[in-house]
Amino acid sequence: MLEIFIQQTQAMRRHVEMLDALFKSATEGIIVVDSWGAIQLVNPKAQELFGYEEGELIDKKIETLIPQRYANKHVSHRMNYAQAPKARSMGGNFDLWARRKDNSEFPVEVSLSPFSTSEGDYVVSFIIDITSRKKQAEALIEANRQIQHLNADLEERVRMRTRELAQALEEIEQSKQEVMRALEKERQLNDMKTKFVTIASHEFRTPLATILSSASLIGRYIHTEEDEKRQKHVQRIKSTVNNLTEILNDFLSLGKLEEGQIRNVPVLFNVADFCTELVEELRPVCKENQVMKYTHEGEKEVCIDRHLFKNILINLLSNATKYSGEGKDVLLNTQLKEKTLLIEVIDQGIGIPEKDIPYVFDRFFRAHNSGTIQGTGLGLNIVKKYIQLMEGTVDIESQINLGTTIRIQLPNCC
């Protein structure tokens, strides 16, 4: 009997040693709590997971290892579990989080197994840190999201490519028209070059011939009583030189605009006084019995580019007098309304054919009814570029033999 008892005792010791080795070497955290939730046993892995030294957790409530925001609810869950304990996993459809000694948190997976001894009821918890698994799961979710995004992108690309292929036949059919349009554009460019040469040649040759003729005639008038005739030709020369100067200014302005040398520099000034003075300066260009009238409404202080504004008005008012007959008035109206300066230039001249109106701001374009009236076809093109530079808009209305109205809106920078 003694021998059997010794054998049983040795076997029990081996079992205890084996269980102790399993408890201490387990790769999962193991915590045993009593029916009151007090921690009774903690294996080394659990101490490592939670950052405690040996013995620090003994007799502490299990809620010590649960994030504060969940601790109160956990007490009621633990008490409910104690009423009907059974082996189960915790968490279900939600994430479980544990709290380390330094209050940092990490995701865990927990399994519970109840057991009883002569000393009472206990629950053993098996705890696994699933941080790596969770990161992998999140990485997998992100990878799936990216794959879905790529799939959606690929599907969209396929749809776009399908549409492109569907349009291919139509584009092939249109290619001939595109070639024809390209040829038409080239022809228009060549026409533009030809117009430039023709206009420049005509606009310079005619005034130069006038100057040469007048200069020759002046040389013949040597007597004092012929002074009136000399002055007549001197005036012709001055007028012709002024015309040449205007033509050169158009070409120079266009060149500066193309090269980006002209800038919009707003300054504050009295628009009513400015326009009144300008109208007075331009009265000499009016024909016989032509009257240039000016009106203004609203506040008078504006902040726009004074130089560009002057060039615009000079060009439009000069055109209005040039294309209007004797005794036909030219009107200039300005109105400062909120943050916008409204300008109207109205004449009672020959008007513009309806079919020509869409092209009046094109370079070198001259209306078909302009006849022998001098012009390069650059003035309105330059005016529009000035207006665009000032971030404004221009609009034109015209009727044959009734006149033309040009309306401009410029932003007031004040």
Side-chain angles (χ1 to χ4, degrees):
M1 290 294 292
L2 179 61
E3 184 179 353
I4 293 173
F5 176 75
I6 292 171
Q7 289 176 352
Q8 289 177 345
T9 301
Q10 290 175 342
M12 185 177 295
R13 184 185 299 113
R14 284 197 302 272
H15 290 159
V16 170
E17 289 174 352
M18 290 176 67
L19 288 172
D20 184 62
L22 287 170
F23 184 76
K24 290 181 178 179
S25 62
T27 57
E28 296 180 1
I30 302 175
I31 296 177
V32 178
V33 299
D34 62 17
S35 57
W36 300 100
I39 298 172
Q40 301 299 312
L41 288 174
V42 181
N43 77 335
K45 183 63 178 179
Q47 292 172 179
E48 177 189 339
L49 287 176
F50 290 95
Y52 286 90
E53 299 295 331
E54 185 176 357
E56 279 190 283
L57 286 171
I58 301 304
D59 290 331
K60 292 185 181 295
K61 291 291 186 179
I62 191 65
E63 282 76 27
T64 303
L65 305 179
I66 295 173
Q68 193 63 40
R69 61 186 181 278
Y70 302 130
N72 291 335
K73 289 184 178 180
H74 186 268
V75 173
S76 61
H77 292 327
R78 173 168 56 77
M79 294 177 67
N80 291 334
Y81 177 78
Q83 299 298 319
K86 61 179 180 179
R88 69 180 182 87
S89 297
M90 291 180 64
N93 296 324
F94 57 89
D95 294 333
L96 292 179
W97 293 86
R99 180 175 59 165
R100 298 187 182 94
K101 183 179 180 180
D102 62 4
N103 285 325
S104 61
E105 298 179 8
F106 62 101
V108 293
E109 185 179 274
V110 180
S111 297
L112 303 179
S113 293
F115 67 94
S116 299
T117 69
S118 59
E119 296 181 356
D121 297 326
Y122 297 89
V123 177
V124 58
S125 302
F126 298 93
I127 304 162
I128 301 174
D129 181 351
I130 60 170
T131 300
S132 297
R133 187 195 306 173
K134 193 170 182 64
K135 287 181 178 179
Q136 291 174 357
E138 290 173 352
L140 182 60
I141 291 171
E142 177 61 20
N144 287 333
R145 188 191 67 78
Q146 292 182 4
I147 289 171
Q148 291 174 359
H149 177 74
L150 290 173
N151 284 340
D153 184 58
L154 180 60
E155 290 175 0
E156 179 61 23
R157 288 173 180 268
V158 169
R159 283 194 293 269
M160 290 178 63
R161 184 57 179 163
T162 301
R163 286 196 296 268
E164 290 172 359
L165 292 174
Q167 292 171 356
L169 289 176
E170 182 181 352
E171 290 175 357
I172 291 172
E173 293 295 327
Q174 292 175 349
S175 62
K176 182 178 178 180
Q177 296 179 7
E178 290 177 358
V179 170
M180 295 301 294
R181 283 196 294 269
L183 291 173
E184 178 63 18
K185 286 183 179 179
E186 185 176 353
R187 185 190 66 76
Q188 291 175 358
L189 181 60
N190 289 331
D191 287 348
M192 189 178 293
K193 291 178 180 178
T194 302
K195 284 180 180 178
F196 172 77
V197 174
T198 302
I199 291 171
S201 174
H202 176 269
E203 295 298 329
F204 280 99
R205 184 174 61 246
T206 302
L208 288 173
T210 301
I211 292 171
L212 181 61
S213 173
S214 293
S216 298
L217 290 172
I218 288 173
R220 297 180 184 179
Y221 303 133
I222 58 176
H223 301 295
T224 304
E225 61 272 15
E226 295 176 317
D227 185 62
E228 184 178 346
K229 294 179 179 179
R230 278 197 300 271
Q231 291 302 320
K232 178 182 177 181
H233 288 290
V234 167
Q235 290 302 319
R236 287 183 64 190
I237 291 172
K238 287 181 179 180
S239 175
T240 305
V241 169
N242 286 335
N243 288 336
L244 284 172
T245 301
E246 289 180 7
I247 294 169
L248 287 172
N249 284 338
D250 282 348
F251 285 121
L252 289 173
S253 297
L254 186 61
K256 288 180 180 179
L257 281 166
E258 295 293 340
E259 294 171 8
Q261 295 181 15
I262 298 178
R263 298 284 186 272
N264 179 27
V265 184
V267 295
L268 187 65
F269 64 96
N270 186 308
V271 68
D273 292 345
F274 177 84
C275 290
T276 300
E277 292 174 6
L278 182 61
V279 167
E280 288 299 320
E281 289 179 20
L282 292 176
R283 288 197 191 281
V285 304
C286 292
K287 297 175 182 176
E288 188 174 353
N289 295 324
Q290 258 187 359
V291 178
M292 195 176 291
K293 299 178 181 179
Y294 171 62
T295 63
H296 176 77
E297 293 181 25
E299 296 292 329
K300 298 180 179 180
E301 294 293 321
V302 295
C303 187
I304 58 176
D305 189 302
R306 185 185 180 103
H307 178 70
L308 295 181
F309 182 55
K310 182 175 183 178
N311 288 344
I312 290 169
L313 291 185
I314 289 175
N315 192 299
L316 295 181
L317 292 172
S318 298
N319 275 356
T321 59
K322 182 165 60 174
Y323 290 99
S324 298
E326 295 179 357
K328 300 293 185 179
D329 292 345
V330 173
L331 308 179
L332 170 62
N333 303 323
T334 57
Q335 180 184 6
L336 191 55
K337 189 175 182 180
E338 296 179 352
K339 289 290 185 179
T340 303
L341 177 63
L342 307 176
I343 304 125
E344 280 187 337
V345 176
I346 306 170
D347 67 48
Q348 302 173 50
I350 63 174
I352 303 170
E354 184 177 356
K355 64 178 181 180
D356 289 348
I357 289 178
Y359 309 103
V360 293
F361 293 108
D362 291 353
R363 192 180 303 179
F364 300 121
F365 182 83
R366 302 197 71 207
H368 289 82
N369 62 335
S370 58
T372 58
I373 300 173
Q374 287 187 339
T376 61
L378 291 175
L380 288 181
N381 180 260
I382 293 171
V383 164
K384 185 169 184 179
K385 289 182 182 295
Y386 282 158
I387 293 170
Q388 289 173 338
L389 197 61
M390 298 170 76
E391 299 183 355
T393 60
V394 60
D395 162 89
I396 189 167
E397 292 181 6
S398 188
Q399 289 185 325
I400 293 294
N401 297 323
L402 294 179
T404 300
T405 299
I406 295 179
R407 295 184 179 88
I408 300 169
Q409 294 188 28
L410 298 177
N412 180 17
C413 299
C414 292

